[in-house]
Amino acid sequence: YAKRDFDQKDSLKAYLIGFRLGDLTVYPVSHGIHSRVIQVQCLTTQLAQIELFRSLFETYGHLHQSPPDRQGAYYLTCYLNRSFDFLLPKADAVESWIKNNFECSIAFAAGYIDAEGSFHIVKKPSTGLCSSRFAVASQDKTILFWMHELFCSLGITAAPPKLACAAGTP
């Protein structure tokens, strides 16, 4: 299948890295110096995430979408050329070129939030009143603290990251 090089702005690259660190599995199709293809994968039950995955990768390489499994999850795979090597590293860190550029910082945070963020409606049992909550739940402690600092620097009120469950908890 034909593949196109990644040739977009650094802000899209930062967004993709944030999204990757949150939700994507990325690896070379074969190992060694002659590997020319990387595989990007995602498993989701969310139709909006399928549309997002398609919009991000479909123009660059062959994309496969499985039928939904018994739980309604779709398995998405896209085969890309090595111009997407920037997606290979998986570390709880934000690269300095992203941190040092406002537009890239915001793009990275947006990608990570698209992957790990969620909105909740919470009903307080004692009063019956509902409130909304936004949360980013992940195990990437360094990224979460960096995002909290970013939000605070922009005047966005955000609770500091907190432990949701202890290490080793299923």
Side-chain angles (χ1 to χ4, degrees), residues 3-136:
K3 292 164 193 61
R4 251 186 63 219
D5 285 349
F6 180 81
D7 59 356
Q8 300 296 316
K9 295 177 8 176
D10 282 347
S11 57
L12 179 58
K13 184 177 179 180
Y15 175 90
L16 289 173
I17 292 170
F19 190 65
R20 181 275 191 267
L21 292 175
D23 256 358
L24 303 178
T25 302
V26 181
Y27 55 88
V29 171
S30 61
H31 296 286
I33 60 171
H34 300 293
S35 176
R36 295 173 44 202
V37 177
I38 65 171
Q39 186 170 334
V40 177
Q41 298 175 327
C42 179
L43 179 68
T44 185
T45 58
Q46 303 300 313
L47 297 180
Q49 188 155 346
I50 293 170
E51 291 176 30
L52 176 60
F53 187 91
R54 284 188 168 282
S55 72
L56 292 173
F57 297 111
E58 197 165 44
T59 59
Y60 294 103
H62 177 69
L63 192 141
H64 173 75
Q65 176 181 326
S66 73
D69 65 14
R70 290 181 183 159
Q71 288 78 36
Y74 295 85
Y75 188 71
L76 304 163
T77 304
C78 191
Y79 298 94
L80 305 167
N81 70 24
R82 296 305 294 256
S83 69
F84 284 85
D85 275 5
F86 62 88
L87 294 177
L88 289 169
K90 173 74 170 165
D92 178 11
V94 181
E95 296 179 46
S96 60
W97 68 268
I98 294 171
K99 288 180 183 180
N100 296 331
N101 180 300
F102 178 75
E103 186 178 351
C104 291
S105 292
I106 296 301
F108 176 92
Y112 197 80
I113 287 168
D114 279 351
E116 297 290 3
S118 59
F119 290 91
H120 306 274
I121 304 295
V122 180
K123 188 173 187 177
K124 193 171 182 180
S126 61
T127 63
L129 296 175
C130 293
S131 63
S132 60
R133 299 276 191 268
F134 169 72
V136 178

